[in-house]
Amino acid sequence: MRCSPRRLRTGVTLLSLAALLVSGCSAAGSTSSAGSTAVAALVALPRATPSALSPYYGQKLSWRSCGVPGFECATMKAPLDYAQPGAGDVRLAVARKKATGRGKRLGSLLVNPGGPGGSAVGYLQQYAGIGYPAEVRARYDMVAVDPRGVARSEPVECLGGRAMDAYTQTDTTPDDPRETGELVDAYKEFAEGCGAHEPRLLRHVSTVEAARDMDILRAVLGDAKLTYVGASYGTFLGATYAGLFPERVGRLVLDGAMDPSLPARQLNLDQTAGFETAFQSFAKDCVRQPDCPLGGKGTTPAKVGENLKAFFRKLDAHPIPTGDPDGRRLGEALATTGVIAAMYDESTWAQLRESLTSAMKENDGAGLLVLSDSYYERDADGRYANLMAANAAVNCLDLPAAFTRPDQVEKALPSFEKASPVFGEGLAWASLSCAYWPVKPTGEPHRIEAKGAAPIVVVGTTRDPATPYRWAQSLAAQLASGRLLTYVGDGHTAYGRGSACIDSTINTYLLRGTPPTSKKRCS
């Protein structure tokens, strides 16, 4: 199974820790969606381009063939530090597939699959550039840029393959002080590895900086306004763009939306509950199938969860073989990741049942290891993409850490376990990872209003595991021109996942500029 490139993944923490950079925010407070904390709204940047940035906005891209038929690639320069444009550049990988139709070209359509850390260029070449609706590809040049620190754009690096193998197998449900210390040591080792690679780059991989890079690309491509489809974390990136450059917003689709007004701990707690919601749907479906290893017909979802937790505890004490040539065995950490990976898309539930059956009844962990490896983007040769490193680099810069000490996690365990009896404990401890990051966070929770922007379509799925539906509701309410489009169903994100209603609504918006009403619901 190959992980969907549109997933919100959290590599290091398995959780999204998105936030807004504090620069560019006003001191005027407003009430967050959580209702308990006043947060400032992101303020638009001046409309006029600063003279120091003119060379970047005026650059010409040199397009070349990049090995995939029909696609061109180029390298774009952006200032490493927007406060000091002359102090060094970052080189960003860009790819495009030109419009294929004979009708009037509508401009460029920029896509981002999420993460943070997902390769937008890879997503374009493997899916969007060939899998988006033909009528959309006919009218738009399909374009992607890997954000700074990601994949082809000066990637952040942390640990080598063997060290990463050890890291992904670290026990995230410590049973005693010794195991807690081992988990903390693993987080510190990962953070130190990232800091040793390129400490200056780590200070400049924020979402605000990536959004500003997108505006340079918009100008370089010759578009007066940005047309954009962002999924998962890509919605936070797109919303940030809208907040900074509202007058340059064209047609924006934010699918699987995030809520930028929430602090890291609340985001993590919400997402923990989201995975529990998805697991409940899986459990109900599983017991109706003849091959469900977690219970038969009539078994309650709660009992299914208890059975899975018991299996995880067994693996914690006695990992099982996987047949992996590098000798990895399936312990609780890798098994949990494999199950979480299958929660993103209901089409993988059958594979999960098969993998759990092999592990629970045949002592063969190969199937769950495949799911876990695909989630972490580990290839058959033991090499990891930079997803986990980039994910941590952006998340830990964008928001203050959810927890800074192990005792804080211990106090919060009851709330996480209430949110998800199955995943809560592990996801609570995973939220500690940013506490040891080598670069101090520069962002805090903020609202995004984007006053003056054209209508922005915010898509929410009611049983989305990774970006809970209420996040979409909140973002749509924050945006002055937000239009909420609801998909009643399972899985992460909605566009291009089988709903004719969702697809036709978004296609109409992209092609004709006609947004849906905020009460439109699809199933």
Side-chain angles (χ1 to χ4, degrees), residues 210-239:
R212 297 190 70 172
D213 295 341
M214 291 201 308
D215 194 57
I216 293 177
L217 179 59
R218 172 204 58 77
V220 169
L221 293 172
D223 294 319
K225 295 181 181 292
L226 180 74
T227 299
Y228 174 86
V229 176
S232 201
Y233 163 80
T235 67
F236 177 50
L237 182 57

PDB file of all heavy atoms in Angstrom, residues 210-239:
ATOM      1  N   ALA A 210       6.893  30.124   3.571  1.00  0.00           N
ATOM      2  CA  ALA A 210       6.487  29.323   2.407  1.00  0.00           C
ATOM      3  C   ALA A 210       5.363  29.993   1.645  1.00  0.00           C
ATOM      4  O   ALA A 210       5.315  29.935   0.406  1.00  0.00           O
ATOM      5  CB  ALA A 210       6.062  27.926   2.870  1.00  0.00           C
ATOM      6  N   ALA A 211       4.440  30.647   2.353  1.00  0.00           N
ATOM      7  CA  ALA A 211       3.353  31.362   1.688  1.00  0.00           C
ATOM      8  C   ALA A 211       3.894  32.557   0.895  1.00  0.00           C
ATOM      9  O   ALA A 211       3.417  32.850  -0.207  1.00  0.00           O
ATOM     10  CB  ALA A 211       2.328  31.822   2.717  1.00  0.00           C
ATOM     11  N   ARG A 212       4.879  33.233   1.442  1.00  0.00           N
ATOM     12  CA  ARG A 212       5.478  34.351   0.717  1.00  0.00           C
ATOM     13  C   ARG A 212       6.226  33.857  -0.518  1.00  0.00           C
ATOM     14  O   ARG A 212       6.227  34.525  -1.560  1.00  0.00           O
ATOM     15  CB  ARG A 212       6.408  35.139   1.649  1.00  0.00           C
ATOM     16  CG  ARG A 212       5.671  35.772   2.823  1.00  0.00           C
ATOM     17  CD  ARG A 212       6.539  36.738   3.603  1.00  0.00           C
ATOM     18  NE  ARG A 212       6.808  37.950   2.815  1.00  0.00           N
ATOM     19  CZ  ARG A 212       7.411  39.037   3.311  1.00  0.00           C
ATOM     20  NH1 ARG A 212       7.799  39.052   4.581  1.00  0.00           N
ATOM     21  NH2 ARG A 212       7.631  40.086   2.546  1.00  0.00           N
ATOM     22  N   ASP A 213       6.832  32.678  -0.415  1.00  0.00           N
ATOM     23  CA  ASP A 213       7.470  32.078  -1.591  1.00  0.00           C
ATOM     24  C   ASP A 213       6.442  31.837  -2.695  1.00  0.00           C
ATOM     25  O   ASP A 213       6.727  32.023  -3.883  1.00  0.00           O
ATOM     26  CB  ASP A 213       8.123  30.749  -1.231  1.00  0.00           C
ATOM     27  CG  ASP A 213       9.281  30.891  -0.253  1.00  0.00           C
ATOM     28  OD1 ASP A 213       9.828  32.006  -0.111  1.00  0.00           O
ATOM     29  OD2 ASP A 213       9.632  29.874   0.378  1.00  0.00           O
ATOM     30  N   MET A 214       5.239  31.423  -2.314  1.00  0.00           N
ATOM     31  CA  MET A 214       4.194  31.160  -3.304  1.00  0.00           C
ATOM     32  C   MET A 214       3.801  32.435  -4.041  1.00  0.00           C
ATOM     33  O   MET A 214       3.436  32.394  -5.218  1.00  0.00           O
ATOM     34  CB  MET A 214       2.963  30.532  -2.653  1.00  0.00           C
ATOM     35  CG  MET A 214       3.169  29.117  -2.152  1.00  0.00           C
ATOM     36  SD  MET A 214       1.631  28.178  -1.949  1.00  0.00           S
ATOM     37  CE  MET A 214       0.646  29.267  -0.949  1.00  0.00           C
ATOM     38  N   ASP A 215       3.882  33.572  -3.361  1.00  0.00           N
ATOM     39  CA  ASP A 215       3.530  34.810  -4.055  1.00  0.00           C
ATOM     40  C   ASP A 215       4.586  35.186  -5.077  1.00  0.00           C
ATOM     41  O   ASP A 215       4.261  35.723  -6.150  1.00  0.00           O
ATOM     42  CB  ASP A 215       3.323  35.953  -3.059  1.00  0.00           C
ATOM     43  CG  ASP A 215       2.634  37.142  -3.711  1.00  0.00           C
ATOM     44  OD1 ASP A 215       1.530  36.947  -4.258  1.00  0.00           O
ATOM     45  OD2 ASP A 215       3.201  38.250  -3.695  1.00  0.00           O
ATOM     46  N   ILE A 216       5.847  34.917  -4.761  1.00  0.00           N
ATOM     47  CA  ILE A 216       6.887  35.128  -5.772  1.00  0.00           C
ATOM     48  C   ILE A 216       6.611  34.242  -6.984  1.00  0.00           C
ATOM     49  O   ILE A 216       6.674  34.689  -8.129  1.00  0.00           O
ATOM     50  CB  ILE A 216       8.281  34.844  -5.187  1.00  0.00           C
ATOM     51  CG1 ILE A 216       8.642  35.888  -4.119  1.00  0.00           C
ATOM     52  CG2 ILE A 216       9.337  34.824  -6.290  1.00  0.00           C
ATOM     53  CD1 ILE A 216       9.980  35.638  -3.435  1.00  0.00           C
ATOM     54  N   LEU A 217       6.281  32.980  -6.736  1.00  0.00           N
ATOM     55  CA  LEU A 217       6.005  32.066  -7.841  1.00  0.00           C
ATOM     56  C   LEU A 217       4.812  32.540  -8.657  1.00  0.00           C
ATOM     57  O   LEU A 217       4.834  32.483  -9.891  1.00  0.00           O
ATOM     58  CB  LEU A 217       5.745  30.659  -7.300  1.00  0.00           C
ATOM     59  CG  LEU A 217       5.415  29.587  -8.348  1.00  0.00           C
ATOM     60  CD1 LEU A 217       6.542  29.446  -9.363  1.00  0.00           C
ATOM     61  CD2 LEU A 217       5.144  28.247  -7.669  1.00  0.00           C
ATOM     62  N   ARG A 218       3.767  33.005  -7.987  1.00  0.00           N
ATOM     63  CA  ARG A 218       2.604  33.537  -8.715  1.00  0.00           C
ATOM     64  C   ARG A 218       3.022  34.619  -9.697  1.00  0.00           C
ATOM     65  O   ARG A 218       2.640  34.606 -10.876  1.00  0.00           O
ATOM     66  CB  ARG A 218       1.583  34.109  -7.719  1.00  0.00           C
ATOM     67  CG  ARG A 218       0.428  34.863  -8.380  1.00  0.00           C
ATOM     68  CD  ARG A 218      -0.202  35.871  -7.428  1.00  0.00           C
ATOM     69  NE  ARG A 218       0.739  36.862  -6.914  1.00  0.00           N
ATOM     70  CZ  ARG A 218       1.185  37.913  -7.599  1.00  0.00           C
ATOM     71  NH1 ARG A 218       0.782  38.116  -8.853  1.00  0.00           N
ATOM     72  NH2 ARG A 218       2.044  38.763  -7.068  1.00  0.00           N
ATOM     73  N   ALA A 219       3.856  35.553  -9.207  1.00  0.00           N
ATOM     74  CA  ALA A 219       4.290  36.658 -10.059  1.00  0.00           C
ATOM     75  C   ALA A 219       5.181  36.175 -11.189  1.00  0.00           C
ATOM     76  O   ALA A 219       5.036  36.608 -12.347  1.00  0.00           O
ATOM     77  CB  ALA A 219       5.028  37.698  -9.212  1.00  0.00           C
ATOM     78  N   VAL A 220       6.099  35.272 -10.879  1.00  0.00           N
ATOM     79  CA  VAL A 220       7.019  34.756 -11.890  1.00  0.00           C
ATOM     80  C   VAL A 220       6.273  34.007 -12.989  1.00  0.00           C
ATOM     81  O   VAL A 220       6.657  34.036 -14.165  1.00  0.00           O
ATOM     82  CB  VAL A 220       8.070  33.841 -11.210  1.00  0.00           C
ATOM     83  CG1 VAL A 220       8.876  33.074 -12.243  1.00  0.00           C
ATOM     84  CG2 VAL A 220       8.992  34.668 -10.326  1.00  0.00           C
ATOM     85  N   LEU A 221       5.176  33.351 -12.629  1.00  0.00           N
ATOM     86  CA  LEU A 221       4.368  32.631 -13.615  1.00  0.00           C
ATOM     87  C   LEU A 221       3.497  33.560 -14.450  1.00  0.00           C
ATOM     88  O   LEU A 221       2.875  33.134 -15.425  1.00  0.00           O
ATOM     89  CB  LEU A 221       3.484  31.603 -12.913  1.00  0.00           C
ATOM     90  CG  LEU A 221       4.214  30.434 -12.234  1.00  0.00           C
ATOM     91  CD1 LEU A 221       3.232  29.609 -11.407  1.00  0.00           C
ATOM     92  CD2 LEU A 221       4.899  29.553 -13.274  1.00  0.00           C
ATOM     93  N   GLY A 222       3.410  34.821 -14.038  1.00  0.00           N
ATOM     94  CA  GLY A 222       2.636  35.792 -14.803  1.00  0.00           C
ATOM     95  C   GLY A 222       1.169  35.861 -14.442  1.00  0.00           C
ATOM     96  O   GLY A 222       0.371  36.406 -15.208  1.00  0.00           O
ATOM     97  N   ASP A 223       0.802  35.362 -13.260  1.00  0.00           N
ATOM     98  CA  ASP A 223      -0.594  35.378 -12.837  1.00  0.00           C
ATOM     99  C   ASP A 223      -0.863  36.565 -11.909  1.00  0.00           C
ATOM    100  O   ASP A 223      -0.127  36.789 -10.940  1.00  0.00           O
ATOM    101  CB  ASP A 223      -0.952  34.088 -12.113  1.00  0.00           C
ATOM    102  CG  ASP A 223      -0.896  32.871 -13.022  1.00  0.00           C
ATOM    103  OD1 ASP A 223      -1.339  32.993 -14.178  1.00  0.00           O
ATOM    104  OD2 ASP A 223      -0.406  31.817 -12.586  1.00  0.00           O
ATOM    105  N   ALA A 224      -1.935  37.296 -12.191  1.00  0.00           N
ATOM    106  CA  ALA A 224      -2.295  38.429 -11.336  1.00  0.00           C
ATOM    107  C   ALA A 224      -2.826  37.949  -9.993  1.00  0.00           C
ATOM    108  O   ALA A 224      -2.663  38.624  -8.970  1.00  0.00           O
ATOM    109  CB  ALA A 224      -3.338  39.301 -12.026  1.00  0.00           C
ATOM    110  N   LYS A 225      -3.482  36.786  -9.989  1.00  0.00           N
ATOM    111  CA  LYS A 225      -4.038  36.231  -8.768  1.00  0.00           C
ATOM    112  C   LYS A 225      -3.652  34.754  -8.664  1.00  0.00           C
ATOM    113  O   LYS A 225      -3.363  34.110  -9.672  1.00  0.00           O
ATOM    114  CB  LYS A 225      -5.562  36.388  -8.727  1.00  0.00           C
ATOM    115  CG  LYS A 225      -6.034  37.850  -8.660  1.00  0.00           C
ATOM    116  CD  LYS A 225      -7.539  37.943  -8.609  1.00  0.00           C
ATOM    117  CE  LYS A 225      -8.011  39.382  -8.564  1.00  0.00           C
ATOM    118  NZ  LYS A 225      -7.658  40.059  -7.291  1.00  0.00           N
ATOM    119  N   LEU A 226      -3.674  34.240  -7.437  1.00  0.00           N
ATOM    120  CA  LEU A 226      -3.288  32.852  -7.204  1.00  0.00           C
ATOM    121  C   LEU A 226      -4.512  31.944  -7.242  1.00  0.00           C
ATOM    122  O   LEU A 226      -5.494  32.175  -6.533  1.00  0.00           O
ATOM    123  CB  LEU A 226      -2.612  32.708  -5.840  1.00  0.00           C
ATOM    124  CG  LEU A 226      -2.169  31.286  -5.479  1.00  0.00           C
ATOM    125  CD1 LEU A 226      -0.930  30.890  -6.278  1.00  0.00           C
ATOM    126  CD2 LEU A 226      -1.898  31.154  -3.977  1.00  0.00           C
ATOM    127  N   THR A 227      -4.444  30.906  -8.065  1.00  0.00           N
ATOM    128  CA  THR A 227      -5.419  29.821  -8.033  1.00  0.00           C
ATOM    129  C   THR A 227      -4.719  28.621  -7.415  1.00  0.00           C
ATOM    130  O   THR A 227      -3.615  28.259  -7.824  1.00  0.00           O
ATOM    131  CB  THR A 227      -5.926  29.489  -9.446  1.00  0.00           C
ATOM    132  OG1 THR A 227      -6.569  30.644  -9.993  1.00  0.00           O
ATOM    133  CG2 THR A 227      -6.929  28.344  -9.398  1.00  0.00           C
ATOM    134  N   TYR A 228      -5.397  27.984  -6.447  1.00  0.00           N
ATOM    135  CA  TYR A 228      -4.673  27.047  -5.577  1.00  0.00           C
ATOM    136  C   TYR A 228      -5.624  25.999  -5.031  1.00  0.00           C
ATOM    137  O   TYR A 228      -6.759  26.297  -4.651  1.00  0.00           O
ATOM    138  CB  TYR A 228      -4.057  27.846  -4.430  1.00  0.00           C
ATOM    139  CG  TYR A 228      -3.384  27.056  -3.327  1.00  0.00           C
ATOM    140  CD1 TYR A 228      -2.061  26.659  -3.440  1.00  0.00           C
ATOM    141  CD2 TYR A 228      -4.072  26.749  -2.159  1.00  0.00           C
ATOM    142  CE1 TYR A 228      -1.429  25.964  -2.401  1.00  0.00           C
ATOM    143  CE2 TYR A 228      -3.445  26.058  -1.125  1.00  0.00           C
ATOM    144  CZ  TYR A 228      -2.127  25.670  -1.246  1.00  0.00           C
ATOM    145  OH  TYR A 228      -1.510  25.002  -0.226  1.00  0.00           O
ATOM    146  N   VAL A 229      -5.141  24.752  -4.996  1.00  0.00           N
ATOM    147  CA  VAL A 229      -5.843  23.679  -4.290  1.00  0.00           C
ATOM    148  C   VAL A 229      -4.864  23.094  -3.283  1.00  0.00           C
ATOM    149  O   VAL A 229      -3.831  22.524  -3.664  1.00  0.00           O
ATOM    150  CB  VAL A 229      -6.357  22.583  -5.241  1.00  0.00           C
ATOM    151  CG1 VAL A 229      -6.998  21.452  -4.430  1.00  0.00           C
ATOM    152  CG2 VAL A 229      -7.362  23.148  -6.236  1.00  0.00           C
ATOM    153  N   GLY A 230      -5.180  23.248  -2.001  1.00  0.00           N
ATOM    154  CA  GLY A 230      -4.327  22.716  -0.941  1.00  0.00           C
ATOM    155  C   GLY A 230      -5.103  21.713  -0.121  1.00  0.00           C
ATOM    156  O   GLY A 230      -6.268  21.921   0.201  1.00  0.00           O
ATOM    157  N   ALA A 231      -4.456  20.609   0.203  1.00  0.00           N
ATOM    158  CA  ALA A 231      -5.086  19.567   1.017  1.00  0.00           C
ATOM    159  C   ALA A 231      -4.375  19.466   2.360  1.00  0.00           C
ATOM    160  O   ALA A 231      -3.162  19.622   2.447  1.00  0.00           O
ATOM    161  CB  ALA A 231      -5.035  18.217   0.294  1.00  0.00           C
ATOM    162  N   SER A 232      -5.147  19.224   3.419  1.00  0.00           N
ATOM    163  CA  SER A 232      -4.598  18.969   4.730  1.00  0.00           C
ATOM    164  C   SER A 232      -3.763  20.160   5.199  1.00  0.00           C
ATOM    165  O   SER A 232      -4.265  21.277   5.250  1.00  0.00           O
ATOM    166  CB  SER A 232      -3.791  17.671   4.663  1.00  0.00           C
ATOM    167  OG  SER A 232      -3.620  17.102   5.913  1.00  0.00           O
ATOM    168  N   TYR A 233      -2.470  19.947   5.547  1.00  0.00           N
ATOM    169  CA  TYR A 233      -1.641  21.097   5.913  1.00  0.00           C
ATOM    170  C   TYR A 233      -1.621  22.131   4.793  1.00  0.00           C
ATOM    171  O   TYR A 233      -1.466  23.330   5.047  1.00  0.00           O
ATOM    172  CB  TYR A 233      -0.218  20.639   6.230  1.00  0.00           C
ATOM    173  CG  TYR A 233       0.785  21.766   6.218  1.00  0.00           C
ATOM    174  CD1 TYR A 233       0.920  22.625   7.304  1.00  0.00           C
ATOM    175  CD2 TYR A 233       1.581  21.988   5.090  1.00  0.00           C
ATOM    176  CE1 TYR A 233       1.824  23.676   7.277  1.00  0.00           C
ATOM    177  CE2 TYR A 233       2.489  23.033   5.061  1.00  0.00           C
ATOM    178  CZ  TYR A 233       2.607  23.881   6.152  1.00  0.00           C
ATOM    179  OH  TYR A 233       3.495  24.921   6.117  1.00  0.00           O
ATOM    180  N   GLY A 234      -1.798  21.703   3.563  1.00  0.00           N
ATOM    181  CA  GLY A 234      -1.856  22.638   2.442  1.00  0.00           C
ATOM    182  C   GLY A 234      -2.957  23.663   2.595  1.00  0.00           C
ATOM    183  O   GLY A 234      -2.900  24.750   2.005  1.00  0.00           O
ATOM    184  N   THR A 235      -3.990  23.349   3.406  1.00  0.00           N
ATOM    185  CA  THR A 235      -5.043  24.343   3.650  1.00  0.00           C
ATOM    186  C   THR A 235      -4.523  25.459   4.544  1.00  0.00           C
ATOM    187  O   THR A 235      -4.891  26.622   4.372  1.00  0.00           O
ATOM    188  CB  THR A 235      -6.275  23.700   4.315  1.00  0.00           C
ATOM    189  OG1 THR A 235      -5.948  23.254   5.642  1.00  0.00           O
ATOM    190  CG2 THR A 235      -6.783  22.523   3.508  1.00  0.00           C
ATOM    191  N   PHE A 236      -3.681  25.115   5.488  1.00  0.00           N
ATOM    192  CA  PHE A 236      -3.083  26.132   6.359  1.00  0.00           C
ATOM    193  C   PHE A 236      -2.150  27.021   5.560  1.00  0.00           C
ATOM    194  O   PHE A 236      -2.131  28.245   5.717  1.00  0.00           O
ATOM    195  CB  PHE A 236      -2.355  25.447   7.497  1.00  0.00           C
ATOM    196  CG  PHE A 236      -1.630  26.380   8.421  1.00  0.00           C
ATOM    197  CD1 PHE A 236      -2.268  27.481   8.952  1.00  0.00           C
ATOM    198  CD2 PHE A 236      -0.307  26.166   8.757  1.00  0.00           C
ATOM    199  CE1 PHE A 236      -1.600  28.360   9.806  1.00  0.00           C
ATOM    200  CE2 PHE A 236       0.369  27.022   9.601  1.00  0.00           C
ATOM    201  CZ  PHE A 236      -0.277  28.118  10.129  1.00  0.00           C
ATOM    202  N   LEU A 237      -1.389  26.402   4.663  1.00  0.00           N
ATOM    203  CA  LEU A 237      -0.493  27.168   3.799  1.00  0.00           C
ATOM    204  C   LEU A 237      -1.298  28.103   2.894  1.00  0.00           C
ATOM    205  O   LEU A 237      -0.971  29.284   2.752  1.00  0.00           O
ATOM    206  CB  LEU A 237       0.354  26.202   2.962  1.00  0.00           C
ATOM    207  CG  LEU A 237       1.386  26.807   2.017  1.00  0.00           C
ATOM    208  CD1 LEU A 237       2.373  27.688   2.749  1.00  0.00           C
ATOM    209  CD2 LEU A 237       2.111  25.685   1.263  1.00  0.00           C
ATOM    210  N   GLY A 238      -2.374  27.600   2.302  1.00  0.00           N
ATOM    211  CA  GLY A 238      -3.194  28.430   1.425  1.00  0.00           C
ATOM    212  C   GLY A 238      -3.921  29.525   2.174  1.00  0.00           C
ATOM    213  O   GLY A 238      -4.033  30.663   1.691  1.00  0.00           O
ATOM    214  N   ALA A 239      -4.434  29.207   3.369  1.00  0.00           N
ATOM    215  CA  ALA A 239      -5.122  30.220   4.161  1.00  0.00           C
ATOM    216  C   ALA A 239      -4.152  31.311   4.600  1.00  0.00           C
ATOM    217  O   ALA A 239      -4.500  32.498   4.643  1.00  0.00           O
ATOM    218  CB  ALA A 239      -5.785  29.579   5.376  1.00  0.00           C
TER     219      ALA A 239
END
